[in-house]
Amino acid sequence: MSPREWSVQQSLEIPLPPRTVYAALADVRRMPEWSPEVIGVWSRGARFVGFNRKACWVWFTTCRIVVADPEREFAFDVTTFGLPVARWGYRLTPAGEGTLVTEYWVDHRRGGARGRVAELLGLVFTGTPAARRAARNRAAMRTTLHRLSAALRAAA
């Protein structure tokens, strides 16, 4: 058995400037357009609730924007019932006429009773065991980045 992965990232170059990409990512209400898991977002300033679905599993998460550095990085921390879950983010790097977009995820469900409860809730809500979470997120990131690119290019 291979060791558990606590973080993953995927990158894709999008042929648009960082300001365009950042503006889309920072409008969290648009996340359902490109995420294969997010089906809705209720936003209240720097906090939002994400409604998610995978097959027959449906769940929500509470999120707080923690990095909002225009044209460089956008990230938010995810919790469920007050328990830490993960950080999701996007780093933007100018690349010629476009932007290299790197989506990243860092699992925050580590150790202690709270970590174990968060792990259990993650399995119950999503149906994904901890050992498979990184691979699943990596695949979802590829889908997200390609859909983001297609949506932004179509709007340009």
Side-chain angles (χ1 to χ4, degrees):
M1 179 186 263
S2 60
R4 177 167 170 188
E5 290 182 84
W6 292 92
S7 64
V8 294
Q9 66 180 28
Q10 291 289 294
S11 298
L12 181 69
E13 190 169 328
I14 297 178
L16 293 163
R19 72 179 173 282
T20 302
V21 178
Y22 182 88
L25 292 169
D27 184 356
V28 295
R29 297 167 301 172
R30 294 189 65 190
M31 195 65 69
E33 291 179 45
W34 40 78
S35 171
E37 190 170 276
V38 179
I39 57 173
V41 173
W42 181 68
S43 179
R44 298 281 298 175
R47 296 185 182 274
F48 61 96
V49 176
F51 299 92
N52 308 287
R53 186 185 73 190
K54 180 189 116 185
C56 63
W57 287 276
V58 177
W59 70 98
F60 70 92
T61 57
T62 304
C63 307
R64 182 175 57 90
I65 298 168
V66 294
V67 180
D69 187 0
E71 301 184 31
R72 290 193 182 98
E73 186 174 2
F74 181 79
F76 51 92
D77 282 347
V78 178
T79 62
T80 189
F81 299 110
L83 299 170
V85 174
R87 175 167 291 179
W88 283 90
Y90 301 86
R91 290 186 189 96
L92 310 177
T93 307
E97 297 295 314
T99 304
L100 179 66
V101 182
T102 300
E103 183 175 9
Y104 63 92
W105 164 84
V106 179
D107 197 335
H108 287 174
R109 291 167 278 217
R110 296 178 189 232
R114 290 172 53 87
R116 286 190 298 278
V117 171
E119 282 290 352
L120 177 60
L121 290 174
L123 176 60
V124 170
F125 290 158
T126 71
T128 303
R132 292 194 196 130
R133 193 171 289 132
R136 179 170 151 42
N137 287 346
R138 190 178 289 111
M141 287 174 176
R142 285 191 296 270
T143 299
T144 297
L145 291 171
H146 284 283
R147 287 180 181 174
L148 171 67
S149 179
L152 296 180
R153 285 183 287 121

